[in-house]
Amino acid sequence: MPLKGFFESKIASSPPDARTSRLKVHLINDQTLGVSRSVYHTAKAEKDARAEEYSAVKRVLSRDDIVIADGLNYIKGFRYQLYCEAKALQTPSCVVKLHIGTPAERCRENNKKLLADKDCDGGYDDDDFENLIFRYEEPNGMTRWDSPLFIVVEEDEKPPCDQIWDAMVGSDGKMKTVKPNLATVLKPATEQNYLYELDKTTSDILAQIMVYQKDHPGEGGGEIAVADIEKPIELPATPMTLPQLQRIRRQFITMNRQHSLSKARLKEVFVDYLNAEFLR
């Protein structure tokens, strides 16, 4: 992969005493994980494959490691989840979108050629391919988890490697550090009713999910709007049971009982946490 080779050459040419000289590059994709393209035929298999990619990225991600998550990553919630992992380690991240200018019809032609080439690690089954196009959520450079966004069209010979290096590492040889946003820095719990609000807010949201699933029996997926926050709850393809939801809620409460967030912020953070867990 040109980007991986470029990063490795930049690291190799760094002075021995430079911080960049200790960086390592990891390439993670379906091929390195041994994931078949057939996993995109069913929702559960795809979800398991996505969880495997997420776990692989998380295992090697650090401030001394450059991780290239070379997957489809077409779900914005999954990109947000990866962004949060990088943010938690105060290390930069970016999105490189390949062939974004290629029309769907041209993509179909390319896929058919790959399927017909027996010597190639083929394309996607036609039905799976159409489903992936339908569900594709295009990156938006205006959102923090898709920024900075580098667009590479089919006619480009290679990605803008120098610009990506500058975004990830910096041009001055010094390692970049991502500072946490003041709005997301958790403060020690001080409000007397914080634990009550934490318990009630999370319980109310779980009740909202259970009511929705009861009103939509046998249906997978769907979005649930939550009052006072912009982002909806994005339900998984397989309906969640109450014990499963309670387990996620207990984990969230354990992680946040020592901190103080406003009620509106509690909702937003819990919805983000649910959406990330539903992608596992």
Side-chain angles (χ1 to χ4, degrees):
M1 182 179 183
L3 188 59
K4 182 175 185 290
F6 177 83
F7 282 164
E8 289 173 336
S9 66
K10 291 284 287 187
I11 294 168
S13 62
S14 299
D17 58 343
R19 293 186 66 188
T20 52
S21 65
R22 68 168 183 250
L23 291 175
K24 296 180 181 178
V25 184
H26 306 270
L27 174 63
I28 296 175
N29 56 25
D30 287 350
Q31 287 72 36
T32 62
L33 296 174
V35 174
S36 169
R37 287 187 172 88
S38 63
V39 299
Y40 298 99
H41 195 62
T42 63
K44 184 181 185 307
E46 180 183 349
K47 182 179 179 181
D48 291 343
R50 195 159 52 239
E52 186 174 355
E53 179 187 352
Y54 173 76
S55 297
V57 170
K58 192 173 180 178
R59 277 196 299 271
V60 296
L61 183 63
S62 78
R63 295 178 66 182
D64 291 330
D65 293 89
I66 297 176
V67 183
I68 303 174
D70 183 31
L72 294 182
N73 304 332
Y74 65 93
I75 299 175
K76 62 183 178 182
F78 185 63
R79 296 196 299 271
Y80 175 75
Q81 192 175 12
L82 294 176
Y83 162 83
C84 288
E85 289 296 337
K87 186 81 169 178
L89 293 174
Q90 297 186 5
T91 187
S93 63
C94 72
V95 174
V96 181
K97 193 60 202 165
L98 301 179
H99 295 180
I100 197 167
T102 306
E105 189 55 42
R106 178 61 183 276
C107 292
R108 290 187 183 94
E109 293 176 8
N110 292 340
N111 190 62
K112 289 184 182 299
K113 290 179 181 178
L114 290 172
L115 288 173
D117 188 350
K118 302 303 180 183
D119 297 326
C120 180
D121 183 19
Y124 298 90
D125 176 85
D126 287 338
D127 290 341
D128 294 343
F129 183 80
E130 294 300 327
N131 191 26
L132 288 170
I133 288 182
F134 177 75
R135 293 189 288 135
Y136 171 66
E137 296 177 333
E138 185 171 325
N140 179 1
M142 298 297 291
T143 61
R144 61 187 184 279
W145 57 87
D146 284 337
S147 175
L149 174 64
F150 297 93
I151 299 174
V152 183
V153 296
E154 190 173 21
E155 290 75 16
D156 292 344
E157 294 183 1
K158 61 180 182 179
C161 297
D162 285 309
Q163 293 94 317
I164 297 172
W165 173 267
D166 289 347
M168 298 296 293
V169 180
S171 57
D172 56 1
K174 298 180 180 179
M175 298 290 292
K176 283 194 171 184
T177 300
V178 176
K179 296 181 180 179
N181 297 328
L182 292 177
T184 59
V185 174
L186 298 177
K187 302 175 183 178
T190 55
E191 300 178 13
Q192 281 188 336
N193 66 340
Y194 173 69
L195 293 181
Y196 168 78
E197 290 293 350
L198 178 62
D199 181 79
K200 185 176 186 303
T201 299
T202 53
S203 293
D204 289 347
I205 290 178
L206 257 58
Q208 194 174 350
I209 294 175
M210 295 305 297
V211 169
Y212 178 91
Q213 292 187 153
K214 183 179 179 181
D215 293 341
H216 300 78
E219 295 183 15
E223 294 186 349
I224 303 175
V226 179
D228 302 324
I229 68 170
E230 182 178 348
K231 183 178 298 183
I233 300 169
E234 299 176 352
L235 295 176
T238 303
M240 300 291 291
T241 64
L242 182 58
Q244 289 175 318
L245 292 172
Q246 291 285 17
R247 177 183 58 80
I248 296 174
R249 174 177 172 269
R250 285 194 299 270
Q251 291 174 347
F252 180 81
I253 289 177
T254 300
M255 292 168 55
N256 291 278
R257 65 170 57 251
Q258 300 300 321
H259 306 289
S260 180
L261 297 168
S262 67
K263 185 175 181 179
R265 181 68 181 142
L266 262 178
K267 287 184 180 181
E268 182 180 356
V269 174
F270 187 48
V271 168
D272 282 343
Y273 187 78
L274 285 171
N275 288 340
E277 286 294 314
F278 291 161
L279 288 173
R280 288 181 181 272

